[in-house]
Amino acid sequence: VMPASKACHVAKPSSKWRVEGSNDFLIVRGALSVDDVDRAVGEFRSNPRTRARLHDVARPLYNERHTLQVQIDAGSCGWLTRKLAHVCLEVGDETFRILPRDKNGRRSWAFEELQFLEYKAQMHFKTWHLDAEHGGTDIEDRRVLTAVVMLSMKQDFTGGKFQCRSKVAGKQSVKSLRLDKGDIVLFPAKQLEHRVTAVESGTRRTLVVWLRSRGLHTQHVCG
């Protein structure tokens, strides 16, 4: 497992959002409306799903990650990415202050492809992991900020806990985050170790969004 970095500088997020969390992560409650979530799920479910794979592993390793995914060009759903960008910038980056700036002090970033994930019974991403590595040279290592959008109601499934792990007073601390439809979890991609436990029943759907530094192979450039 890649080591987590030191805690980022944390500022106070805008009071317009109902925000919970810590130095390691933030939860924005009801960041997307139920109608927005239903619209997104309706659009994404029409695309063919593939078996998700681990970062840098060409074949699925079902004992470590077992889920279905749809890769979505961020530019193809501008109505949604505008809403997501607003939350990521006004809450995520205003709190963690980690997106790169250009010489004029403007944020310089881009969306990676969005990842629509579907977990059915016994599916999981149980391996503790970071979304990017400090000093890494892979395309994924350009990720700076992660946003995980819960697309299912909490009563739609059992199990499937989003867990995060960090050190508190020198000891490992594991937290299970309670998320409902429309909630968004924000965290630095290179800092927070996390995983998803096995779904026991029902179907768990999420959308994973990464803001990355501009450069080769970025999608839907913003700034």
Side-chain angles (χ1 to χ4, degrees):
V1 175
M2 294 178 284
S5 67
K6 295 181 180 178
C8 298
H9 164 76
V10 175
K12 185 178 180 180
S14 170
S15 60
K16 67 188 277 189
W17 303 100
R18 183 186 164 201
V19 181
E20 306 168 9
S22 68
N23 285 5
D24 299 314
F25 67 87
L26 297 170
I27 303 173
V28 187
R29 299 293 184 188
L32 292 183
S33 70
V34 171
D35 287 344
D36 285 339
V37 171
D38 289 343
R39 178 182 174 185
V41 172
E43 292 181 8
F44 301 155
R45 289 190 67 192
S46 63
N47 294 288
R49 300 169 186 76
T50 60
R51 300 287 184 180
R53 65 178 180 83
L54 286 174
H55 170 51
D56 292 335
V57 177
R59 66 187 186 284
L61 297 176
Y62 298 134
N63 61 323
E64 297 183 19
R65 186 185 189 190
H66 186 196
T67 184
L68 302 172
Q69 71 176 17
V70 178
Q71 296 292 120
I72 302 155
D73 183 349
S76 70
C77 49
W79 70 270
L80 178 59
T81 53
R82 284 190 293 272
K83 292 175 182 287
L84 294 172
H86 189 49
V87 177
C88 290
L89 299 180
E90 296 303 315
V91 180
D93 193 51
E94 282 299 311
T95 301
F96 297 116
R97 310 278 183 164
I98 54 174
L99 287 179
R101 264 69 172 173
D102 63 20
K103 62 182 181 181
N104 297 314
R106 295 174 300 187
R107 295 181 178 104
S108 179
W109 62 279
F111 277 115
E112 188 173 321
E113 282 187 321
L114 312 183
Q115 196 173 92
F116 172 68
L117 298 175
E118 193 169 77
Y119 296 80
K120 297 183 180 295
Q122 305 307 312
M123 291 187 175
H124 60 85
F125 194 167
K126 68 180 183 181
T127 299
W128 288 107
H129 63 284
L130 298 175
D131 286 343
E133 183 178 5
H134 280 288
T137 57
D138 295 322
I139 263 308
E140 290 85 354
D141 295 323
R142 301 185 72 92
R143 295 169 179 167
V144 179
L145 181 68
T146 300
V148 179
V149 186
M150 177 54 69
L151 303 176
S152 299
M153 293 188 293
K154 56 188 178 184
Q155 61 264 36
D156 287 345
F157 62 94
T158 60
K161 295 178 181 178
F162 183 95
Q163 295 184 325
C164 56
R165 182 170 72 176
S166 59
K167 282 192 175 182
V168 177
K171 297 182 180 180
Q172 291 282 5
S173 173
V174 175
K175 295 181 180 179
S176 295
L177 307 187
R178 294 180 61 83
L179 305 172
D180 208 349
K181 191 173 185 175
D183 292 348
I184 298 180
V185 184
L186 299 164
F187 55 90
K190 296 179 174 70
Q191 177 175 316
L192 187 69
E193 290 185 317
H194 57 286
R195 69 177 183 179
V196 177
T197 64
V199 169
E200 297 167 5
S201 65
T203 301
R204 177 189 190 272
R205 297 186 178 95
T206 57
L207 182 69
V208 183
V209 181
W210 291 286
L211 274 62
R212 68 195 317 174
S213 56
R214 283 183 176 178
L216 187 64
H217 301 304
T218 55
Q219 299 281 333
H220 194 58
V221 173
C222 305

